[in-house]
């Protein structure tokens, strides 16, 4: 999921500040963990988190959840306490957690696995210690044989390119279309066609800086990223973020972080 808290953000009156930071994973987990993170909400509001193919294990001091979807997710933030998490790379979650992680956009980890992880997180006294608990949990799962599908790294790379067809990816992996759809769904939470659309949208988010600075245009980016036209790009942005491309660009220009779009101070 796209960054759940901005690196620094003040509320409308400038009274409170949200803070967020990412920490690289241990070398031995870099193939499955993109980063661990911690954030302080600062004030109460709903936060919109956008899809990017990754899955987060997140702990807010009370609840340990798995967050992953092919649609924007709204997460209520209380404005108190620190949240921590581990972001799993695209395609890693199914092997580590089992395909049931995709039963909903936000799932309690306890409902998926019998684990004492909540007790360990509660006993950890600092966000840094809680992050270590989560990364060690991932390491234990790997050591016990819960590994990502080895073909998923190749599939994700292929589905990241603009004009990739699902049948071509299946052929590259030497499997049928049906088998590819099942394996991607088990690994990511949704099928290869939807993953291709999510990854294309995420590449668009990576171009917002160029758009905000006037270095390119929506029509040019639509062509470069494999959208049929600018209208197609607009439709996909609305579906995957709830905002138009122009709204995403404006939000980026104001905040330097797309995920801040719907962060508003409590009334």
């Amino acid at each position: 999921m796209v960054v759940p808290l901005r690196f620094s953000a003040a509320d409308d009156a400038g009274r409170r500040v949200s803070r967020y930071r990412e920490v690289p994973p241990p070398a031995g987990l870099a193939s499955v963990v993109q980063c661990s993170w911690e954030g302080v909400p600062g004030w109460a509001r709903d936060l919109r988190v956008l899809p990017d193919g990754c899955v987060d294990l997140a702990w807010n001091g009370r609840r340990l959840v798995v967050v992953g979807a092919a649609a924007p997710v709204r997460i209520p933030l209380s404005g108190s306490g620190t949240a921590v998490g581990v972001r799993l790379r695209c395609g890693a979650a199914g092997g580590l957690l089992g395909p049931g992680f995709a039963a909903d956009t936000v799932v309690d980890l306890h409902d998926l696995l019998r684990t004492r992880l909540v007790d360990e997180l509660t006993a950890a006294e600092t966000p840094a210690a809680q992050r270590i608990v989560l990364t060690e949990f991932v390491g234990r799962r790997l050591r016990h044989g819960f590994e990502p599908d080895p073909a998923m790294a190749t599939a994700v790379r292929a589905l990241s390119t603009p004009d990739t067809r699902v049948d071509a990816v299946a052929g590259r992996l030497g499997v049928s279309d049906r088998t590819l759809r099942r394996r991607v769904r088990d690994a990511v939470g949704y099928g290869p066609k939807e993953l291709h659309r999510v990854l294309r949208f995420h590449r668009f988010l990576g171009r917002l800086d160029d758009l905000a600075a006037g270095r390119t245009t929506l029509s040019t980016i639509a062509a470069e990223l494999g959208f049929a036209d600018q209208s197609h790009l607009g439709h996909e942005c609305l579906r995957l973020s709830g905002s138009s491309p122009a709204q995403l660009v404006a939000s980026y220009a104001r905040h330097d972080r797309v995920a801040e779009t719907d962060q508003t101070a409590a009334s």
Side-chain angles (χ1 to χ4, degrees):
M1 310 299 287
V2 167
V3 173
L5 291 174
R6 201 161 71 104
F7 289 99
S8 178
D11 71 5
D12 291 343
R15 293 181 296 254
R16 298 180 181 178
V17 175
S18 292
R19 293 186 178 88
Y20 170 88
R21 74 185 187 101
E22 295 179 352
V23 179
L29 299 181
S31 63
V32 296
V33 174
Q34 182 169 305
C35 67
S36 62
W37 55 263
E38 60 185 66
V40 180
W43 69 95
R45 76 278 197 202
D46 282 347
L47 175 71
R48 177 178 59 171
V49 184
L50 305 181
D52 64 357
C54 295
V55 170
D56 282 50
L57 306 182
W59 166 251
N60 67 358
R62 300 175 305 280
R63 187 182 179 198
L64 177 62
V65 296
V66 182
V67 183
V73 177
R74 291 186 181 274
I75 299 176
L77 299 178
S78 66
S80 62
T82 299
V84 301
V86 166
R87 183 161 302 124
L88 302 177
R89 293 189 182 278
C90 183
L96 289 169
L97 306 177
F101 82 91
D104 203 348
T105 55
V106 180
V107 179
D108 282 284
L109 185 63
H110 183 71
D111 293 340
L112 294 175
L113 307 171
R114 296 184 64 183
T115 174
R116 298 182 60 186
L117 196 55
V118 168
D119 293 337
E120 295 177 32
L121 288 165
T122 302
E125 296 182 352
T126 66
Q130 292 166 354
R131 287 191 291 99
I132 291 172
V133 168
L134 289 174
T135 54
E136 288 181 344
F137 164 74
V138 174
R140 287 199 301 271
R141 296 291 289 180
L142 289 173
R143 289 194 298 274
H144 285 95
F146 296 97
E147 298 181 346
D149 184 336
M152 282 304 101
T154 300
V156 169
R157 283 195 300 271
L159 291 166
S160 297
T161 58
D163 299 320
T164 297
R165 299 196 324 270
V166 172
D167 60 347
V169 178
R172 184 180 304 182
L173 295 177
V175 299
S176 67
D177 290 6
R178 181 177 181 179
T179 296
L180 177 66
R181 287 194 295 271
R182 175 182 56 78
R183 290 173 68 173
V184 171
R185 188 175 295 108
D186 286 348
V188 179
Y190 39 88
K193 186 172 294 186
E194 187 65 17
L195 177 59
H196 174 68
R197 297 168 80 175
V198 167
L199 295 174
R200 182 174 57 189
F201 168 71
H202 190 58
R203 290 198 306 277
F204 167 71
L205 295 182
R207 301 296 302 276
L208 291 180
D209 182 63
D210 291 335
L211 285 164
R215 291 190 290 267
T216 189
T217 65
L218 284 172
S219 59
T220 298
I221 288 180
E224 290 174 352
L225 297 183
F227 293 96
D229 51 30
Q230 186 173 328
S231 176
H232 181 208
L233 168 59
H235 175 79
E236 288 293 275
C237 282
L238 284 171
R239 189 176 71 86
L240 293 170
S241 74
S243 296
S244 69
Q247 288 170 328
L248 290 175
V249 173
S251 173
Y252 185 91
R254 289 195 308 270
H255 303 296
D256 296 325
R257 278 284 166 185
V258 175
E260 283 291 302
T261 302
D262 289 343
Q263 292 188 19
T264 55
S267 56

